[in-house]
mmCIF file of all heavy atoms in Angstrom:
data_model
loop_
_atom_site.group_PDB
_atom_site.id
_atom_site.type_symbol
_atom_site.label_atom_id
_atom_site.label_comp_id
_atom_site.label_asym_id
_atom_site.label_seq_id
_atom_site.Cartn_x
_atom_site.Cartn_y
_atom_site.Cartn_z
ATOM 1 N N TYR A 25 9.587 -46.791 -39.479
ATOM 2 C CA TYR A 25 10.123 -47.769 -38.531
ATOM 3 C C TYR A 25 9.909 -49.191 -39.035
ATOM 4 O O TYR A 25 10.782 -50.058 -38.842
ATOM 5 C CB TYR A 25 9.481 -47.573 -37.160
ATOM 6 C CG TYR A 25 10.104 -46.441 -36.378
ATOM 7 C CD1 TYR A 25 9.855 -45.107 -36.705
ATOM 8 C CD2 TYR A 25 10.968 -46.694 -35.324
ATOM 9 C CE1 TYR A 25 10.436 -44.066 -35.999
ATOM 10 C CE2 TYR A 25 11.562 -45.660 -34.606
ATOM 11 C CZ TYR A 25 11.289 -44.348 -34.954
ATOM 12 O OH TYR A 25 11.880 -43.319 -34.261
ATOM 13 N N LEU A 26 8.797 -49.456 -39.667
ATOM 14 C CA LEU A 26 8.569 -50.781 -40.233
ATOM 15 C C LEU A 26 9.565 -51.067 -41.351
ATOM 16 O O LEU A 26 10.093 -52.186 -41.462
ATOM 17 C CB LEU A 26 7.131 -50.878 -40.766
ATOM 18 C CG LEU A 26 6.740 -52.216 -41.405
ATOM 19 C CD1 LEU A 26 6.848 -53.342 -40.394
ATOM 20 C CD2 LEU A 26 5.322 -52.151 -41.974
ATOM 21 N N ASN A 27 9.850 -50.055 -42.155
ATOM 22 C CA ASN A 27 10.832 -50.206 -43.226
ATOM 23 C C ASN A 27 12.218 -50.523 -42.662
ATOM 24 O O ASN A 27 12.955 -51.365 -43.197
ATOM 25 C CB ASN A 27 10.876 -48.917 -44.051
ATOM 26 C CG ASN A 27 11.756 -49.033 -45.275
ATOM 27 O OD1 ASN A 27 11.559 -49.898 -46.117
ATOM 28 N ND2 ASN A 27 12.735 -48.138 -45.394
ATOM 29 N N VAL A 28 12.578 -49.877 -41.555
ATOM 30 C CA VAL A 28 13.868 -50.130 -40.909
ATOM 31 C C VAL A 28 13.948 -51.571 -40.417
ATOM 32 O O VAL A 28 14.965 -52.258 -40.602
ATOM 33 C CB VAL A 28 14.071 -49.143 -39.737
ATOM 34 C CG1 VAL A 28 15.219 -49.593 -38.847
ATOM 35 C CG2 VAL A 28 14.343 -47.741 -40.257
ATOM 36 N N MET A 29 12.884 -52.053 -39.806
ATOM 37 C CA MET A 29 12.876 -53.417 -39.275
ATOM 38 C C MET A 29 12.979 -54.452 -40.392
ATOM 39 O O MET A 29 13.718 -55.438 -40.282
ATOM 40 C CB MET A 29 11.608 -53.638 -38.450
ATOM 41 C CG MET A 29 11.526 -52.774 -37.208
ATOM 42 S SD MET A 29 9.902 -52.854 -36.409
ATOM 43 C CE MET A 29 9.898 -54.538 -35.819
ATOM 44 N N VAL A 30 12.238 -54.224 -41.477
ATOM 45 C CA VAL A 30 12.226 -55.187 -42.580
ATOM 46 C C VAL A 30 13.598 -55.294 -43.225
ATOM 47 O O VAL A 30 14.041 -56.387 -43.612
ATOM 48 C CB VAL A 30 11.157 -54.783 -43.621
ATOM 49 C CG1 VAL A 30 11.305 -55.595 -44.901
ATOM 50 C CG2 VAL A 30 9.763 -54.968 -43.041
ATOM 51 N N LEU A 31 14.312 -54.177 -43.317
ATOM 52 C CA LEU A 31 15.581 -54.159 -44.036
ATOM 53 C C LEU A 31 16.795 -54.495 -43.175
ATOM 54 O O LEU A 31 17.884 -54.708 -43.706
ATOM 55 C CB LEU A 31 15.789 -52.782 -44.680
ATOM 56 C CG LEU A 31 14.820 -52.421 -45.814
ATOM 57 C CD1 LEU A 31 15.065 -50.995 -46.286
ATOM 58 C CD2 LEU A 31 14.968 -53.388 -46.978
ATOM 59 N N SER A 32 16.633 -54.546 -41.843
ATOM 60 C CA SER A 32 17.810 -54.737 -40.984
ATOM 61 C C SER A 32 17.837 -56.061 -40.234
ATOM 62 O O SER A 32 18.881 -56.419 -39.677
ATOM 63 C CB SER A 32 17.912 -53.586 -39.966
ATOM 64 O OG SER A 32 16.772 -53.563 -39.123
ATOM 65 N N TRP A 33 16.749 -56.819 -40.210
ATOM 66 C CA TRP A 33 16.728 -58.021 -39.382
ATOM 67 C C TRP A 33 17.669 -59.105 -39.910
ATOM 68 O O TRP A 33 18.213 -59.889 -39.128
ATOM 69 C CB TRP A 33 15.304 -58.565 -39.274
ATOM 70 C CG TRP A 33 14.716 -59.138 -40.535
ATOM 71 C CD1 TRP A 33 14.027 -58.452 -41.482
ATOM 72 C CD2 TRP A 33 14.759 -60.503 -40.978
ATOM 73 N NE1 TRP A 33 13.647 -59.290 -42.494
ATOM 74 C CE2 TRP A 33 14.076 -60.564 -42.205
ATOM 75 C CE3 TRP A 33 15.305 -61.662 -40.459
ATOM 76 C CZ2 TRP A 33 13.934 -61.748 -42.931
ATOM 77 C CZ3 TRP A 33 15.169 -62.843 -41.176
ATOM 78 C CH2 TRP A 33 14.488 -62.889 -42.389
ATOM 79 N N LYS A 34 17.892 -59.144 -41.208
ATOM 80 C CA LYS A 34 18.753 -60.195 -41.754
ATOM 81 C C LYS A 34 20.207 -60.023 -41.320
ATOM 82 O O LYS A 34 20.888 -61.000 -40.981
ATOM 83 C CB LYS A 34 18.656 -60.212 -43.287
ATOM 84 C CG LYS A 34 17.343 -60.756 -43.820
ATOM 85 C CD LYS A 34 17.378 -60.868 -45.336
ATOM 86 C CE LYS A 34 16.090 -61.479 -45.865
ATOM 87 N NZ LYS A 34 16.103 -61.619 -47.342
ATOM 88 N N SER A 35 20.700 -58.797 -41.333
ATOM 89 C CA SER A 35 22.088 -58.582 -40.913
ATOM 90 C C SER A 35 22.255 -58.874 -39.428
ATOM 91 O O SER A 35 23.302 -59.371 -38.994
ATOM 92 C CB SER A 35 22.535 -57.155 -41.240
ATOM 93 O OG SER A 35 21.689 -56.208 -40.625
ATOM 94 N N ALA A 36 21.210 -58.590 -38.627
ATOM 95 C CA ALA A 36 21.271 -58.924 -37.200
ATOM 96 C C ALA A 36 21.320 -60.436 -36.997
ATOM 97 O O ALA A 36 21.996 -60.938 -36.096
ATOM 98 C CB ALA A 36 20.071 -58.328 -36.467
ATOM 99 N N LEU A 37 20.616 -61.189 -37.850
ATOM 100 C CA LEU A 37 20.661 -62.654 -37.770
ATOM 101 C C LEU A 37 22.067 -63.181 -38.016
ATOM 102 O O LEU A 37 22.516 -64.128 -37.363
ATOM 103 C CB LEU A 37 19.703 -63.268 -38.793
ATOM 104 C CG LEU A 37 18.236 -63.447 -38.405
ATOM 105 C CD1 LEU A 37 17.499 -64.163 -39.524
ATOM 106 C CD2 LEU A 37 18.088 -64.219 -37.116
ATOM 107 N N CYS A 38 22.767 -62.585 -38.959
ATOM 108 C CA CYS A 38 24.131 -63.033 -39.274
ATOM 109 C C CYS A 38 25.047 -62.866 -38.069
ATOM 110 O O CYS A 38 25.839 -63.768 -37.731
ATOM 111 C CB CYS A 38 24.678 -62.248 -40.470
ATOM 112 S SG CYS A 38 23.782 -62.522 -42.016
ATOM 113 N N ILE A 39 24.946 -61.726 -37.386
ATOM 114 C CA ILE A 39 25.761 -61.511 -36.194
ATOM 115 C C ILE A 39 25.332 -62.468 -35.087
ATOM 116 O O ILE A 39 26.170 -63.020 -34.360
ATOM 117 C CB ILE A 39 25.645 -60.047 -35.727
ATOM 118 C CG1 ILE A 39 26.142 -59.092 -36.823
ATOM 119 C CG2 ILE A 39 26.440 -59.823 -34.450
ATOM 120 C CD1 ILE A 39 26.008 -57.627 -36.472
ATOM 121 N N GLY A 40 24.022 -62.695 -34.964
ATOM 122 C CA GLY A 40 23.521 -63.588 -33.929
ATOM 123 C C GLY A 40 24.006 -65.014 -34.081
ATOM 124 O O GLY A 40 24.248 -65.708 -33.079
ATOM 125 N N SER A 41 24.174 -65.476 -35.313
ATOM 126 C CA SER A 41 24.647 -66.850 -35.516
ATOM 127 C C SER A 41 26.057 -67.036 -34.976
ATOM 128 O O SER A 41 26.381 -68.077 -34.393
ATOM 129 C CB SER A 41 24.593 -67.209 -37.008
ATOM 130 O OG SER A 41 25.503 -66.412 -37.753
ATOM 131 N N LEU A 42 26.907 -66.022 -35.126
ATOM 132 C CA LEU A 42 28.263 -66.107 -34.576
ATOM 133 C C LEU A 42 28.246 -65.965 -33.055
ATOM 134 O O LEU A 42 29.064 -66.574 -32.357
ATOM 135 C CB LEU A 42 29.145 -65.032 -35.193
ATOM 136 C CG LEU A 42 29.473 -65.252 -36.680
ATOM 137 C CD1 LEU A 42 30.133 -64.033 -37.266
ATOM 138 C CD2 LEU A 42 30.370 -66.466 -36.856
ATOM 139 N N ALA A 43 27.296 -65.165 -32.537
ATOM 140 C CA ALA A 43 27.144 -65.076 -31.088
ATOM 141 C C ALA A 43 26.746 -66.427 -30.506
ATOM 142 O O ALA A 43 27.219 -66.829 -29.434
ATOM 143 C CB ALA A 43 26.099 -64.017 -30.731
ATOM 144 N N PHE A 44 25.881 -67.150 -31.197
ATOM 145 C CA PHE A 44 25.489 -68.493 -30.772
ATOM 146 C C PHE A 44 26.710 -69.406 -30.719
ATOM 147 O O PHE A 44 26.908 -70.152 -29.754
ATOM 148 C CB PHE A 44 24.450 -69.055 -31.742
ATOM 149 C CG PHE A 44 24.032 -70.477 -31.463
ATOM 150 C CD1 PHE A 44 22.955 -70.745 -30.645
ATOM 151 C CD2 PHE A 44 24.720 -71.542 -32.020
ATOM 152 C CE1 PHE A 44 22.563 -72.047 -30.376
ATOM 153 C CE2 PHE A 44 24.353 -72.852 -31.763
ATOM 154 C CZ PHE A 44 23.266 -73.102 -30.936
ATOM 155 N N LEU A 45 27.555 -69.335 -31.742
ATOM 156 C CA LEU A 45 28.716 -70.219 -31.830
ATOM 157 C C LEU A 45 29.690 -69.978 -30.686
ATOM 158 O O LEU A 45 30.077 -70.914 -29.967
ATOM 159 C CB LEU A 45 29.418 -70.027 -33.172
ATOM 160 C CG LEU A 45 30.777 -70.723 -33.328
ATOM 161 C CD1 LEU A 45 30.624 -72.225 -33.197
ATOM 162 C CD2 LEU A 45 31.424 -70.344 -34.640
ATOM 163 N N TYR A 46 30.102 -68.715 -30.473
ATOM 164 C CA TYR A 46 31.112 -68.481 -29.446
ATOM 165 C C TYR A 46 30.538 -68.702 -28.044
ATOM 166 O O TYR A 46 31.256 -69.083 -27.110
ATOM 167 C CB TYR A 46 31.751 -67.099 -29.589
ATOM 168 C CG TYR A 46 31.032 -65.959 -28.921
ATOM 169 C CD1 TYR A 46 31.090 -65.772 -27.546
ATOM 170 C CD2 TYR A 46 30.318 -65.030 -29.665
ATOM 171 C CE1 TYR A 46 30.443 -64.713 -26.931
ATOM 172 C CE2 TYR A 46 29.669 -63.972 -29.067
ATOM 173 C CZ TYR A 46 29.733 -63.820 -27.695
ATOM 174 O OH TYR A 46 29.090 -62.781 -27.099
ATOM 175 N N THR A 47 29.228 -68.493 -27.872
ATOM 176 C CA THR A 47 28.609 -68.748 -26.577
ATOM 177 C C THR A 47 28.630 -70.233 -26.241
ATOM 178 O O THR A 47 28.950 -70.636 -25.116
ATOM 179 C CB THR A 47 27.160 -68.239 -26.568
ATOM 180 O OG1 THR A 47 27.149 -66.828 -26.816
ATOM 181 C CG2 THR A 47 26.502 -68.500 -25.222
ATOM 182 N N VAL A 48 28.294 -71.070 -27.212
ATOM 183 C CA VAL A 48 28.310 -72.521 -26.995
ATOM 184 C C VAL A 48 29.732 -72.995 -26.713
ATOM 185 O O VAL A 48 29.968 -73.797 -25.794
ATOM 186 C CB VAL A 48 27.715 -73.250 -28.213
ATOM 187 C CG1 VAL A 48 27.935 -74.754 -28.101
ATOM 188 C CG2 VAL A 48 26.232 -72.957 -28.342
#
C-alpha cells in the first residue's frame, strides 16, 4: 500500500490542478 501511494500521488496532483482551474 505504501508503494501504491508513492507511485500514484503525482498523477492525482495533475488531475487536481485542472480541477482547481475549472472550479475557480
Side-chain angles (χ1 to χ4, degrees):
Y25 280 74
L26 180 61
N27 186 57
V28 166
M29 295 170 68
V30 169
L31 293 176
S32 62
W33 68 271
K34 288 186 177 181
S35 58
L37 274 184
C38 296
I39 299 177
S41 65
L42 290 170
F44 176 91
L45 171 62
Y46 86 76
T47 300
V48 171

